[in-house]
Amino acid sequence: MQKIIDILIKENVLDERKLELFLNRYGESKLSIANLIKVRLIHIDEMEKALLKELRLQSIEMRDLESVTGISTTDLLKRQAKEANIEYVDLKDVQIDFKLIKRLPLKQLVRYKVLPLYAEGDTVTVAFSNPNDFEAKGAIERFFHGKMMVVALGRKEIIEQILNQLHTEEKVEEFSADIKQDLEQGGNENIDEKALPAVVQLIDLILEKAIEKGTSDIHIEATEHYSIVRYRIDGMLQEVFRMEQAIFSPLASRMKLLSNLDIAEKRKPQDGRFTKILTGRVFDFRVSTLPTLFGESIVMRILDKSKSMVKLEDAGMNSISYERFIKGIHAPYGIVLVTGPTGSGKTTTLYGALNEIKNVKDKTITVEDPVEYQMEGIQQVQINKQAELGFPEALRSILRQDPDKIMIGEIRDQETLRIAIQAALTGHLVLSTLHTNSAIAAIGRMLDMGIESYLISGALVAIQGQRLVRKICQNCKEQATLSPKLYEDIKDYVPADAKFYEGKGCAICNDSGYMGREMISEVLTISETLSTMIANGASKEQLEIQANKEGFFPMFKDGIQKALEGKTTASEIIRVARS
């Protein structure tokens, strides 16, 4: 943002003295290009002219402007195309002829960042990211043998995305062909990488692309006719590769070898893990195999070790939830719970809490199944069922280690919950997770597990409920009109002139309209009044009424607020948070 302001001042588009007056009157929080345009300190036409100049000089890139409110990169590209007397092509609206692309060397297309789109009669339309690159024009035109090339301007990021995907598919085909050839020549599917080097390369490619796309889980599955690789991105599965069925066996064997599993065992489920350095970062891969009708299903959970250092202020909590949660985890003793379904980011929140409260003066011990992220300064215990070390056994031993703070990966049964509450009541701070739909529902869940209400009321400090919602892709974000039914569902939470947004779908977000995820949350602080009500067996509805009187900010309301801010869609909030 500051870089853009500096450019506009340098190009005399923005008067520095008038900018100071604006800041004195409205403050730093109101500084945005959109607001400067609104008060007529910036003229859009002059701004676009200045930004195009800087783009040509390569002092800024289009991606620097994507998230700046008030700047339309699409309008900039259209203006750039008009000045060059060519057409701007919105690549997400074009039916690309991939057979045409395959007639050209992919290396050349990647080098010049160009994308052949379609042929019509004697003309071929080609999208260039830089229409002023005459070397690229000459090099590409030679491949069309007499046909006239029509130059169009395309968005650089989308061209790169499509070419990157084509390059990946080409490598997968190449590795698959090598594996198949080795097998046909008598190679053994179970032997190591020296015998089948293409298997190693294929797995590395699958892992690298998963990291690049922000994948949480990799699914490798055998079907009747194919081997399929799917990535779970932003909570949704997407098919990325489809290979011949014969590729699955050597692929599965290599995965088992990496994870220290029994290669010959294909009739029983197995669990393992391995660590790998990719893109300069250390990742843990938790591997699970399951026998299926046509082979096995292999699922890898990706654990990014750097995420263990997440700061709570960066987790995406609203200010009310953040302040209440911070107060809860800084309590001297008691139990703080994080609730939500599988895959809602509970463990990441717990690690963020541990980062916040860990101290050399305190003894902090965790018990997890498995230990997902390794942290310095705390003692971490791995559950080992074969050695009869479950959560209850580990907790009993931990309490003899003179701890100040205890983190339990997940409370699954009454025995674990009872020990956790007893620990909280005897002067320890206990952090843990519980599978419930909301913060208030956690109280009923604990009662259902057989814990007495007076123990719950005495031990509980705070309960956080959370979900992860998909964020709108900034590249294809546009204003949206809600359907009457959807508006009816949320009308009580929104002002009359509310604006909502959605992603149209583009190559960058794989046509989903979403890119990344954002937390929505609620935190129930257990006041003296609520504690008394819990001890007296108050109903969920009575607890809700009292919580609202005390300023409880529910998760659904938090989600609608994020939709109004343009971070996510109203339909996503209904899908994820409507109970």
Side-chain angles (χ1 to χ4, degrees):
M1 173 66 180
Q2 189 56 50
K3 191 176 181 181
I4 309 303
I5 295 286
D6 292 342
I7 286 170
L8 297 180
I9 291 171
K10 184 189 78 173
E11 295 294 325
N12 297 319
V13 174
L14 176 62
D15 188 302
E16 196 167 3
R17 186 179 59 82
K18 289 180 180 178
L19 176 63
E20 284 178 18
L21 292 171
F22 175 91
L23 291 172
N24 289 335
R25 183 172 180 181
Y26 299 106
E28 286 276 354
S29 62
K30 295 292 183 184
L31 180 60
S32 70
I33 298 296
N35 285 339
L36 293 174
I37 291 170
K38 195 180 290 183
V39 297
R40 299 181 180 177
L41 290 186
I42 293 175
H43 191 280
I44 291 176
D45 188 61
E46 291 175 355
M47 178 185 72
E48 287 183 351
K49 195 182 291 183
L51 292 175
L52 281 175
K53 177 185 172 183
E54 297 300 319
L55 285 166
R56 280 193 293 271
L57 293 171
Q58 297 184 339
S59 60
I60 55 170
E61 291 189 29
M62 198 64 80
R63 59 169 60 93
D64 297 329
L65 309 175
E66 289 289 356
S67 58
V68 180
T69 309
I71 297 176
S72 168
T73 53
T74 301
D75 288 347
L76 273 174
L77 287 165
K78 285 178 179 177
R79 181 172 185 145
Q80 184 183 355
K82 189 176 180 181
E83 288 181 4
N85 201 27
I86 59 174
E87 182 189 357
Y88 165 68
V89 179
D90 191 342
L91 294 170
K92 58 181 176 281
D93 293 334
V94 175
Q95 192 71 36
I96 299 170
D97 184 352
F98 287 98
K99 288 181 182 177
L100 177 66
I101 296 173
K102 288 183 178 178
R103 286 166 50 188
L104 281 73
L106 194 55
K107 283 183 181 178
Q108 290 281 70
L109 299 179
V110 171
R111 178 184 171 187
Y112 294 117
K113 295 179 177 59
V114 301
L115 189 68
L117 300 177
Y118 50 82
E120 288 180 332
D122 293 331
T123 64
V124 178
T125 302
V126 181
F128 285 73
S129 58
N130 179 8
N132 298 316
D133 189 340
F134 296 104
E135 181 189 343
K137 286 180 183 176
I140 299 302
E141 197 168 21
R142 283 197 293 271
F143 292 104
F144 295 121
H145 306 298
K147 287 198 173 188
M148 189 174 77
M149 183 174 73
V150 177
V151 175
L153 176 64
R155 193 180 287 270
K156 180 183 174 184
E157 290 79 10
I158 297 182
I159 290 174
E160 287 178 337
Q161 186 91 4
I162 293 170
L163 292 176
N164 189 26
Q165 183 61 28
L166 288 170
H167 176 69
T168 302
E169 288 172 4
E170 191 178 83
K171 296 298 286 182
V172 168
E173 287 176 11
E174 180 187 316
F175 295 148
S176 297
D178 288 347
I179 294 167
K180 194 178 174 188
Q181 185 179 1
D182 285 342
L183 290 173
E184 287 171 353
Q185 290 174 356
N188 186 334
E189 66 184 41
N190 290 334
I191 52 182
D192 63 20
E193 61 267 33
K194 291 177 183 176
L196 290 176
V199 175
V200 180
Q201 292 173 302
L202 179 56
I203 287 171
D204 285 347
L205 181 68
I206 290 169
L207 299 181
E208 285 165 11
K209 290 299 164 186
I211 300 302
E212 189 182 292
K213 289 176 178 285
T215 305
S216 61
D217 300 85
I218 303 171
H219 292 241
I220 303 175
E221 300 155 335
T223 67
E224 187 175 3
H225 302 293
Y226 300 102
S227 300
I228 294 172
V229 178
R230 297 193 290 170
Y231 293 162
R232 189 175 293 281
I233 301 170
D234 299 334
M236 300 290 181
L237 280 171
Q238 299 176 9
E239 184 178 315
V240 284
F241 306 126
R242 180 169 288 214
M243 301 164 285
E244 290 185 46
Q245 216 273 349
I247 304 299
F248 182 81
S249 286
L251 198 62
S253 294
R254 177 61 187 161
M255 289 308 313
K256 288 178 180 178
L257 195 65
L258 271 174
S259 313
N260 292 318
L261 301 179
D262 185 351
I263 291 175
E265 182 56 78
K266 299 180 182 181
R267 298 170 301 167
K268 293 179 182 177
Q270 296 187 74
D271 294 304
R273 67 190 301 161
F274 65 93
T275 301
K276 200 167 181 66
I277 298 173
L278 296 162
T279 63
R281 286 144 66 200
V282 181
F283 292 89
D284 275 343
F285 293 87
R286 209 165 70 204
V287 182
S288 169
T289 72
L290 181 73
T292 62
L293 192 60
F294 299 107
E296 289 175 284
S297 170
I298 299 173
V299 177
M300 288 178 277
R301 166 65 57 90
I302 302 174
L303 303 171
D304 183 352
K305 289 198 170 185
S306 64
K307 282 189 178 177
S308 65
M309 300 308 292
V310 69
K311 293 181 180 178
L312 280 176
E313 58 263 35
D314 299 330
M317 291 186 206
N318 61 72
S319 58
I320 296 170
S321 294
Y322 176 71
E323 287 168 15
R324 290 183 166 211
F325 190 68
I326 286 289
K327 186 180 177 182
I329 63 175
H330 280 288
Y333 57 85
I335 186 164
V336 177
L337 294 173
V338 180
T339 72
T342 302
S344 58
K346 299 188 299 297
T347 304
T348 302
T349 299
L350 278 187
Y351 276 100
L354 285 177
N355 263 328
E356 174 70 27
I357 63 174
K358 72 177 182 178
N359 190 313
V360 291
K361 296 176 183 178
D362 293 328
K363 174 92 166 184
T364 303
I365 307 179
T366 76
V367 51
E368 304 167 69
D369 182 25
V371 173
E372 294 198 1
Y373 304 110
Q374 293 172 18
M375 289 182 69
E376 288 184 12
I378 64 174
Q379 305 300 311
Q380 294 174 277
V381 177
Q382 167 89 42
I383 291 302
N384 187 340
K385 290 174 185 174
Q386 291 178 337
E388 296 183 353
L389 181 65
F391 278 108
E393 293 81 10
L395 275 173
R396 288 194 195 96
S397 298
I398 283 170
L399 290 171
R400 293 194 288 271
Q401 286 278 310
D402 186 30
D404 298 288
K405 294 158 185 171
I406 301 166
M407 190 269 267
I408 306 165
E410 184 184 346
I411 291 174
R412 298 174 181 172
D413 53 53
Q414 188 203 85
E415 191 178 3
T416 304
L417 179 56
R418 190 172 290 280
I419 298 169
I421 286 176
Q422 292 293 350
L425 290 169
T426 53
H428 304 88
L429 179 67
V430 180
L431 307 178
S432 191
T433 69
L434 199 63
H435 285 275
T436 63
N437 290 329
S438 66
I440 291 174
I443 296 164
R445 176 72 193 280
M446 288 189 280
L447 289 167
D448 291 342
M449 289 172 78
I451 304 298
E452 294 79 1
S453 59
Y454 70 89
L455 290 176
I456 297 170
S457 67
L460 269 181
V461 172
I463 308 168
Q464 166 152 316
Q466 68 179 62
R467 300 281 194 284
L468 292 177
V469 295
R470 293 177 293 169
K471 292 196 291 186
I472 299 171
C473 171
Q474 293 301 307
N475 183 61
C476 58
K477 179 180 174 180
E478 60 183 20
Q479 197 168 325
T481 304
L482 302 188
S483 67
K485 184 181 182 305
L486 185 55
Y487 182 74
E488 190 67 27
D489 286 339
I490 64 170
K491 68 179 182 181
D492 296 337
Y493 297 87
V494 299
D497 59 345
K499 290 181 180 178
F500 291 93
Y501 300 87
E502 65 182 13
K504 187 178 178 181
C506 64
I508 289 175
C509 62
N510 203 25
D511 290 320
S512 68
Y514 296 96
M515 194 79 170
R517 287 196 285 180
E518 174 94 3
M519 179 198 288
I520 58 171
S521 61
E522 60 187 19
V523 176
L524 178 68
T525 303
I526 309 300
S527 64
E528 286 187 21
T529 305
L530 281 171
S531 180
T532 303
M533 290 175 71
I534 293 166
N536 292 333
S539 68
K540 181 184 174 185
E541 289 72 24
Q542 290 171 323
L543 293 172
E544 257 177 25
I545 291 167
Q546 180 59 32
N548 288 330
K549 284 180 184 175
E550 295 177 8
F552 180 63
F553 191 75
M555 193 182 340
F556 186 75
K557 195 173 178 181
D558 181 30
I560 294 298
Q561 188 59 44
K562 283 186 164 65
L564 289 169
E565 291 168 6
K567 293 179 180 177
T568 187
T569 62
S571 59
E572 180 72 357
I573 299 303
I574 294 289
R575 181 185 74 84
V576 172
R578 190 49 130 179
S579 54

